[in-house]
Amino acid sequence: MNKNHYCIIMAGGVGSRFWPLSRNAKPKQFLDILGTGKTFLQQTFDRFAKIIPAENIMIVTSAIYKDLVLEQLPQIDPSQILLEPFRRNTAPCVAYANYKILQRNADAVVVVAPSDHLIMNEVEFHQIILKGLQFAESNSAITTIGIKPNRPETGYGYIQINSSVSAPVVGIRRVKTFTEKPNLEMAKIFLQSGEFHWNSGIFIWSLKTIMDNFAEFLPEVDKLFGDGVGLYNTDREEAFIRQVYSECKSISVDYGILEKASNVFVILADFGWSDLGTWGSLYLNSNLDKDGNTIGGANVMPYGLKNCVVRVPDNKLVVLQGLEDYIVVESDDILLVCKKSDEQEIKTFVSDILIEKGEQYT
């Protein structure tokens, strides 16, 4: 393995669209929602540890999840966990990791990835990531992974390739535009055009390239974290980071840098990817019974159940009759029954519950 290769795993999200299984106290990246025996975080770490030195993999997460990370990844050193005192989106997360890595290796080449994605073809995934790392080593480029779409999905962002510019490397194209989640009509146009790919949220760059881009496009964020040189990996780091995050704006690296930079490329890939952001995406990636259901729970008795997602505790007898295209999830003291077509409303449910019932249910 190349000692200059690093990985930043972003694991601080709440995953509210997977409520009520995913809750503030234990979000979806710390859960085994797929029933594989490993949580999303564990699967992500293991996936990258096959191609990147384990000691070079960093986990950026909320300070309240430190013990969960150590419990699920006992093989890592606590210094590999970067604790955010507040949620500030992905740009501060990356900036923090940049300066931590800089202190160890100024020649680092880095892949940044969310902690909760499904990858079906790991062999192809590894080849794509290594290709991106090799490209970043020899080019001052910000590289994303674009997934070949197979349906007009409205839940993902899209990357448009620049077909008028010749490819620097086979399978790597220059990015023309980024588009946030489109409506269904626009998603159909994107799919038919052949120029648009899903934005996987996985980035690859050299440390020098991304830090140069922070200095140019997000100088105020870069300065906040740069003022901590000499404090990182000391007993003063925690207090410094708390102060920085209290002052730092919340902004994504996509909006803050990628949409403004001119040196952005995309590697076109197809390795069985899903961000598994919703119950619906879980349904699309599950083994279904003869009636189109995915059922988790040892004592579920279905009668006329069709095209449903069911997740209930093994020790609970659940009888379901006549439901079609529904989500039924029970977790601890919460029962959710929701139409699959209305699953985007789950975030609204959680917000309303927080206001009316309090934090104990979120």
Side-chain angles (χ1 to χ4, degrees), residues 306-327:
K306 293 182 179 179
N307 306 325
C308 290
V309 179
V310 179
R311 290 294 184 275
V312 295
D314 288 340
N315 63 354
K316 176 130 329 174
L317 174 64
V318 177
V319 180
L320 295 171
Q321 188 271 333
L323 293 180
E324 184 171 355
D325 295 314
Y326 267 81
I327 299 164

Side-chain angles (χ1 to χ4, degrees), residues 59-353:
I59 315 296
V60 186
T61 190
S62 170
I64 64 175
Y65 302 138
K66 178 182 179 180
D67 290 341
L68 272 173
V69 174
L70 287 172
E71 175 188 326
Q72 295 193 3
L73 299 176
Q75 66 270 50
I76 70 172
D77 188 272
S79 64
Q80 292 172 248
I81 307 174
L82 280 60
L83 300 174
E84 297 184 292
F86 317 108
R87 292 186 176 91
R88 289 291 185 265
N89 216 313
T90 56
C93 159
V94 171
Y96 184 11
N98 286 344
Y99 279 97
K100 290 283 282 188
I101 295 172
L102 180 65
Q103 195 158 300
R104 292 180 55 183
N105 187 345
D107 297 321
V109 184
V110 185
V111 53
V112 181
S115 58
D116 50 8
H117 287 183
L118 173 67
I119 307 294
M120 300 297 290
N121 187 341
E122 284 202 356
V123 173
E124 177 68 14
F125 175 79
H126 290 150
Q127 291 175 352
I128 292 293
I129 297 300
L130 290 172
K131 181 177 186 175
L133 290 167
Q134 184 178 20
F135 182 65
E137 285 170 347
S138 53
N139 295 273
S140 178
I142 294 174
T143 307
T144 66
I145 307 297
I147 307 299
K148 183 179 180 180
N150 55 22
R151 63 183 184 276
E153 174 62 56
T154 60
Y156 298 154
Y158 284 73
I159 301 170
Q160 183 182 19
I161 60 176
N162 193 333
S163 56
S164 64
V165 179
S166 59
V169 176
V170 174
I172 301 181
R173 306 293 294 274
R174 189 175 288 274
V175 171
K176 186 175 183 179
T177 61
F178 289 89
T179 303
E180 285 305 306
K181 301 170 183 177
N183 59 34
L184 183 58
E185 182 180 351
M186 190 60 67
K188 289 178 179 178
I189 294 173
F190 286 175
L191 182 64
Q192 292 167 0
S193 76
E195 289 192 355
F196 289 82
H197 287 65
W198 290 333
N199 185 355
S200 70
I202 301 172
F203 312 118
I204 304 174
W205 44 53
S206 70
L207 183 61
K208 181 181 185 307
T209 294
I210 191 59
M211 294 192 76
D212 285 347
N213 277 269
F214 263 93
E216 180 175 358
F217 298 113
L218 288 175
E220 66 281 13
V221 174
D222 184 60
K223 185 180 186 306
L224 281 172
F225 287 92
D227 286 344
V229 171
L231 301 180
Y232 293 109
N233 298 320
T234 72
D235 56 6
R236 297 169 64 190
E237 178 180 337
E238 182 178 352
F240 169 74
I241 288 297
R242 176 168 287 277
Q243 181 63 35
V244 166
Y245 271 76
S246 69
E247 299 175 15
C248 192
K249 64 182 178 182
S250 177
I251 186 170
S252 71
V253 72
D254 304 63
Y255 181 76
I257 293 179
L258 271 71
E259 293 185 11
K260 300 172 183 176
S262 60
N263 58 335
V264 184
F265 295 83
V266 57
I267 303 179
L268 309 183
D270 185 10
F271 41 67
W273 170 92
S274 172
D275 76 345
L276 285 181
T278 65
W279 288 110
S281 62
L282 175 69
Y283 179 83
L284 292 174
N285 289 280
S286 296
N287 294 322
L288 306 179
D289 65 19
K290 61 182 177 60
D291 295 311
N293 303 304
T294 171
I295 297 177
N299 292 294
V300 177
M301 298 183 67
Y303 295 88
L305 203 66
K306 293 182 179 179
N307 306 325
C308 290
V309 179
V310 179
R311 290 294 184 275
V312 295
D314 288 340
N315 63 354
K316 176 130 329 174
L317 174 64
V318 177
V319 180
L320 295 171
Q321 188 271 333
L323 293 180
E324 184 171 355
D325 295 314
Y326 267 81
I327 299 164
V328 180
V329 182
E330 181 180 354
S331 178
D332 297 327
D333 48 359
I334 298 172
L335 172 65
L336 169 72
V337 181
C338 171
K339 291 181 179 179
K340 274 165 51 185
S341 59
D342 293 336
E343 69 171 350
Q344 297 299 333
E345 293 294 313
I346 291 177
K347 291 188 76 170
T348 302
F349 302 159
V350 175
S351 296
D352 292 345
I353 289 166

